[in-house]
Amino acid sequence: MIEFDELRLKVEGFKNEVIALEDAIGPEQLSKEIEELESQTTLPGFWDDQSRSGEILKQLSTKKGKAEMVADIKGQFDDLL
């Protein structure tokens, strides 16, 4: 039982780091940026400029990846607790 309590305390020690990571990435702002980029993909003529559309899709993919990473880390941390 002591090992479990020691491990729990060690995991809880990472709470500030997880919160700092979440704050640094800013999931709320990231979500807004994702919505904005997604709405751009529905505009008429979006696909006409392949260079611009490619850049927007690249940004969208990067932002979605960050959002998924934060959600995954936060979820795993919460599960550990």
Side-chain angles (χ1 to χ4, degrees):
M1 192 62 140
I2 292 175
E3 288 180 20
F4 176 77
D5 289 336
E6 290 173 357
L7 287 174
R8 184 180 52 81
L9 289 174
K10 192 172 188 176
V11 168
E12 286 178 353
F14 291 110
K15 186 174 186 173
N16 290 336
E17 285 83 359
V18 171
I19 291 170
L21 172 66
E22 189 175 27
D23 290 345
I25 293 181
E28 294 84 17
Q29 179 63 29
L30 193 57
S31 179
K32 290 177 185 176
E33 292 172 4
I34 289 170
E35 287 179 23
E36 182 180 311
L37 289 169
E38 286 177 335
S39 70
Q40 289 182 30
T41 65
T42 64
L43 295 174
F46 172 78
W47 299 103
D48 294 343
D49 185 346
Q50 291 182 353
S51 176
R52 184 174 183 281
S53 61
E55 182 59 35
I56 289 173
L57 291 175
K58 182 179 174 184
Q59 290 176 22
L60 183 58
S61 176
T62 299
K63 291 180 187 295
K64 282 184 173 183
K66 285 181 183 180
E68 289 173 9
M69 178 192 66
V70 170
D72 186 45
I73 290 172
K74 180 109 171 61
Q76 287 183 27
F77 182 77
D78 291 343
D79 288 347
L80 281 173
L81 291 179

